[in-house]
Coordinates of all heavy atoms in Angstrom, one line a residue:
G28 N 8.2 -20.3 -14.2 CA 9.4 -20.5 -15.0 C 10.6 -20.1 -14.3 O 11.6 -19.9 -15.0
G29 N 10.6 -19.8 -13.0 CA 11.8 -19.4 -12.3 C 12.2 -17.9 -12.5 O 13.3 -17.5 -12.2
V30 N 11.2 -17.1 -13.0 CA 11.5 -15.7 -13.1 C 11.6 -15.0 -11.8 O 11.3 -15.6 -10.7 CB 10.4 -15.0 -14.0 CG1 10.3 -15.6 -15.4 CG2 9.1 -15.0 -13.3
D31 N 12.1 -13.8 -11.8 CA 12.2 -13.0 -10.6 C 10.8 -12.5 -10.2 O 10.4 -11.4 -10.6 CB 13.2 -11.8 -10.8 CG 13.2 -10.9 -9.6 OD1 12.9 -11.3 -8.5 OD2 13.5 -9.7 -9.8
K32 N 10.0 -13.3 -9.5 CA 8.6 -12.9 -9.2 C 8.4 -11.6 -8.5 O 7.6 -10.8 -8.9 CB 7.9 -14.0 -8.5 CG 6.4 -13.7 -8.3 CD 5.6 -14.9 -7.9 CE 5.9 -15.5 -6.6 NZ 4.9 -16.5 -6.1
P33 N 9.2 -11.3 -7.4 CA 9.0 -10.1 -6.7 C 9.3 -8.8 -7.6 O 8.8 -7.8 -7.3 CB 10.0 -10.1 -5.6 CG 10.2 -11.6 -5.3 CD 10.2 -12.2 -6.7
G34 N 10.0 -9.0 -8.7 CA 10.3 -7.9 -9.6 C 9.3 -7.7 -10.7 O 9.4 -6.7 -11.4
L35 N 8.4 -8.7 -10.8 CA 7.4 -8.5 -11.9 C 6.5 -7.3 -11.6 O 6.2 -7.1 -10.4 CB 6.5 -9.8 -12.0 CG 7.2 -11.0 -12.5 CD1 6.2 -12.2 -12.5 CD2 7.6 -10.8 -14.0
R36 N 6.1 -6.6 -12.6 CA 5.4 -5.3 -12.4 C 3.9 -5.5 -12.6 O 3.5 -6.1 -13.6 CB 5.9 -4.2 -13.3 CG 7.4 -3.9 -13.0 CD 7.9 -2.7 -13.8 NE 9.3 -2.4 -13.4 CZ 9.6 -1.6 -12.4 NH1 8.6 -1.1 -11.6 NH2 10.9 -1.4 -12.1
V37 N 3.1 -5.0 -11.7 CA 1.7 -4.9 -11.8 C 1.3 -3.4 -11.6 O 1.6 -2.9 -10.6 CB 1.0 -5.8 -10.8 CG1 -0.5 -5.6 -10.8 CG2 1.3 -7.3 -11.1
G38 N 0.7 -2.8 -12.6 CA 0.4 -1.4 -12.5 C 1.6 -0.6 -12.5 O 1.6 0.5 -11.8
G39 N 2.7 -1.0 -13.2 CA 3.9 -0.2 -13.3 C 4.8 -0.3 -12.1 O 5.9 0.3 -12.0
R40 N 4.4 -1.1 -11.0 CA 5.2 -1.2 -9.8 C 5.5 -2.7 -9.6 O 4.7 -3.6 -9.8 CB 4.5 -0.7 -8.6 CG 4.2 0.8 -8.6 CD 3.7 1.2 -7.2 NE 2.3 0.8 -7.0 CZ 1.7 0.8 -5.8 NH1 2.4 1.1 -4.8 NH2 0.5 0.4 -5.7
A41 N 6.8 -2.9 -9.1 CA 7.2 -4.3 -8.8 C 6.3 -4.8 -7.7 O 5.9 -4.1 -6.8 CB 8.6 -4.3 -8.3
L42 N 6.0 -6.1 -7.7 CA 5.1 -6.7 -6.7 C 5.7 -6.5 -5.3 O 5.0 -6.2 -4.4 CB 5.0 -8.2 -7.0 CG 4.0 -8.7 -8.1 CD1 4.2 -10.2 -8.3 CD2 2.6 -8.3 -7.7
L43 N 7.0 -6.6 -5.2 CA 7.7 -6.4 -3.9 C 7.4 -5.0 -3.4 O 7.1 -4.7 -2.2 CB 9.2 -6.7 -4.0 CG 10.0 -6.4 -2.7 CD1 9.4 -7.1 -1.5 CD2 11.4 -6.7 -2.9
D44 N 7.5 -4.0 -4.3 CA 7.3 -2.6 -3.9 C 5.9 -2.4 -3.4 O 5.6 -1.6 -2.5 CB 7.7 -1.6 -5.0 CG 9.2 -1.5 -5.1 OD1 9.9 -1.7 -4.1 OD2 9.6 -1.1 -6.2
R45 N 4.9 -3.0 -4.1 CA 3.5 -2.9 -3.7 C 3.3 -3.4 -2.3 O 2.6 -2.8 -1.5 CB 2.6 -3.6 -4.7 CG 2.7 -3.1 -6.1 CD 1.8 -4.0 -7.1 NE 0.4 -3.7 -6.8 CZ -0.3 -2.8 -7.4 NH1 0.3 -1.9 -8.3 NH2 -1.6 -2.6 -7.1
V46 N 3.9 -4.5 -1.9 CA 3.8 -5.1 -0.6 C 4.5 -4.2 0.4 O 4.0 -4.0 1.5 CB 4.4 -6.5 -0.5 CG1 4.4 -7.0 0.9 CG2 3.6 -7.4 -1.4
L47 N 5.7 -3.6 0.1 CA 6.4 -2.7 1.0 C 5.5 -1.5 1.3 O 5.6 -0.9 2.4 CB 7.7 -2.3 0.4 CG 8.7 -3.5 0.3 CD1 10.0 -2.9 -0.3 CD2 9.0 -4.1 1.6
T48 N 4.8 -1.0 0.3 CA 3.9 0.1 0.5 C 2.8 -0.2 1.5 O 2.4 0.6 2.4 CB 3.3 0.6 -0.8 OG1 4.3 1.1 -1.7 CG2 2.3 1.7 -0.6
A49 N 2.3 -1.4 1.4 CA 1.2 -1.9 2.3 C 1.7 -1.9 3.8 O 0.8 -1.7 4.7 CB 0.7 -3.2 1.9

Side-chain angles (χ1 to χ4, degrees):
V30 300
D31 174 25
K32 182 165 66 168
L35 290 177
R36 296 185 178 276
V37 172
R40 292 189 290 163
L42 283 170
L43 175 56
D44 284 335
R45 297 177 72 89
V46 172
L47 293 179
T48 297

